[in-house]
Amino acid sequence: MQDFILFALVGFVGQAVDGALGMAYGVVCSTTLLGFGVSPAHASASVHAAELFTTAASGSAHIYHRNIDWKLFWRLMPFGVLGGVLGAFVLTSFEGAIMRPYVTTYLALVGAWLLFRSFRRIPSKPIPVGAVAPLGLGGGFLDAAGGGGWGPMVTTGLLGFGGTPRYVIGTVNASEFLITLSVSLTFLFALLTGHWEEAGELTENLVPVAGLILGGVVAAPIAGLVVKSIAEETLLGLVGVLIIMLAGWQTAELLEMV
């Protein structure tokens, strides 16, 4: 029960930030799971299982509030799905012990990027058409391989190119459901075909996943209310610091094991 409540709180905080800023749920939850000793592939699979519910709730809320740029959605989503499938396949092809240092480094870099991003003003200009496909492909791949990254890479990239925050965040959140679904199906395919040799211990993560789902689903519809009193730059900075600290904790644990 203590683990369930802890992960419910983690899921709530992660989704509150993600729903308002279009990023952080996967990274925060994956970093926390890795900190508890879960392997990278199991962490990514667990988070994406939870995200099937949270992204559906978050995307539906953004559709209801008409925060979606549908032209951007259809240009972004197919590349995100392709990148997610490739990332999940790569992650399940290696032992968790081999992948963990790389995933931890990636998460630390994402945290540093979020912290850096919090000090930059968001420009206002049209998004270059050629920038959408690489962002979608890279964001989908890193999201699956790192257990999080779709929002940090794609949202910050689109905002950096001049996208309107409301429509960028809404579009990224809505498309994330289909990326999450494709990644989850890839993990399932790898499990059923025997490609994923370490999948046997996945059932041990059912309690954390249930907690992440509950916390995320509760936070998704009210994310805007939770963070409306906090400046966007301040919230991004806090998330960046949190992720860097958690990644540092994991790095210290890995060094102790050497």
Side-chain angles (χ1 to χ4, degrees), residues 14 26 30 40 59 79 106 108 137 155 162 165 179 181 184 193 197 233:
S30 294
F79 292 98
Y106 158 71
L137 188 63
T155 300
I179 280 79
L181 178 61
S184 298
T193 59
E197 296 181 357
E233 293 81 4

Side-chain angles (χ1 to χ4, degrees), residues 6-257:
L6 172 63
F7 283 100
L9 290 174
V10 171
F12 182 90
V13 173
Q15 186 56 46
V17 177
D18 191 280
L21 297 179
M23 66 185 75
Y25 179 84
V27 177
V28 169
C29 295
S30 294
T31 308
T32 304
L33 286 172
L34 288 172
F36 277 81
V38 178
S39 72
H42 288 167
S44 182
S46 298
V47 169
H48 282 89
E51 283 186 323
L52 284 173
F53 299 87
T54 61
T55 56
S58 181
S60 298
H62 283 293
I63 291 173
Y64 176 79
H65 291 291
R66 298 182 179 179
N67 295 334
I68 314 297
D69 179 342
W70 290 107
K71 289 184 179 180
L72 176 61
F73 176 91
W74 291 113
R75 295 206 313 266
L76 179 67
M77 181 272 296
F79 292 98
V81 168
L82 177 60
V85 170
L86 291 174
F89 184 81
V90 168
L91 189 61
T92 55
S93 300
F94 299 93
E95 294 182 4
I98 296 176
M99 292 297 295
R100 187 167 180 176
Y102 298 101
V103 174
T104 300
T105 301
Y106 158 71
L107 292 173
L109 291 174
V110 170
W113 170 245
L114 290 179
L115 183 60
F116 171 72
R117 187 69 179 80
S118 69
F119 294 102
R120 298 187 63 194
R121 295 186 62 184
I122 299 174
S124 180
K125 55 185 178 180
I127 300 173
V129 176
V132 177
L135 281 175
L137 188 63
F141 181 87
L142 291 178
D143 188 79
W150 173 252
M153 181 171 185
V154 180
T155 300
T156 54
L158 293 175
L159 289 176
F161 278 114
T164 304
R166 171 186 171 185
Y167 294 108
V168 166
I169 291 170
T171 303
V172 170
N173 268 269
S175 59
E176 189 173 12
F177 171 74
L178 295 176
I179 280 79
T180 297
L181 178 61
S182 66
V183 172
S184 298
L185 290 175
T186 304
F187 279 123
L188 180 61
F189 177 79
L191 172 64
L192 295 177
T193 59
H195 175 74
W196 187 5
E197 296 181 357
E198 293 185 333
E201 301 173 359
L202 191 61
T203 54
E204 297 177 4
N205 302 326
L206 293 180
V207 171
V209 170
L212 294 177
I213 291 172
L214 177 63
V217 169
V218 170
I222 60 174
L225 295 176
V226 173
V227 298
K228 72 176 183 179
S229 60
I230 304 177
E232 180 178 306
E233 293 81 4
T234 301
L235 197 54
L236 274 176
L238 291 174
V239 173
V241 170
L242 172 63
I243 294 170
I244 291 173
M245 290 176 62
L246 290 172
W249 174 28
Q250 297 165 33
T251 301
E253 288 188 334
L254 288 173
L255 291 175
E256 290 179 359
M257 296 171 60

